[in-house]
Amino acid sequence: PFLGSNSEVSRRCFDKQEVLNVCERENIQVPVGAIVNKKQYEEHPLKNKPHILKPNQDGSSIGVLFFRNPGEADTELINQAFA
């Protein structure tokens, strides 16, 4: 027998905004976040603080970038993230 989530549950979990909406509705605390395009990212106040940049609709940790020291961020990696 198959044990695990069906394809609809998996699809929903891949959409980070949908997961955040569910968590908010269920009063589950999550870190501050925003869905942004490259221009919005460049102007967003979180860009200048330690943060994580990840695609909205990708699985697991694919494409995740950690910025512990935002002033030292690799511009090429950021450009690739929004390509």
Side-chain angles (χ1 to χ4, degrees):
F2 175 76
L3 299 175
S5 303
N6 64 32
S7 60
E8 176 60 18
V9 170
S10 293
R11 183 200 62 76
R12 292 180 73 188
C13 288
F14 273 52
D15 185 331
K16 281 122 182 116
Q17 185 61 53
E18 187 166 348
V19 171
L20 291 174
N21 293 342
V22 169
C23 289
E24 183 177 276
R25 187 173 61 242
E26 298 298 325
N27 295 314
I28 298 170
Q29 292 184 340
V30 295
V32 173
I35 302 234
V36 295
N37 60 33
K38 186 164 188 312
K39 182 177 188 295
Q40 293 166 327
Y41 173 75
E42 293 295 336
E43 299 169 354
H44 201 283
L46 287 176
K47 180 183 182 258
N48 299 315
K49 299 178 181 179
H51 64 282
I52 298 170
L53 181 64
K54 59 186 182 177
N56 184 51
Q57 294 188 332
D58 238 336
S60 306
S61 58
I62 296 170
V64 174
L65 301 173
F66 291 83
F67 297 102
R68 290 180 177 88
N69 301 305
E72 301 170 9
D74 183 330
T75 306
E76 183 58 32
L77 286 176
I78 293 170
N79 289 337
Q80 289 175 11
F82 287 100

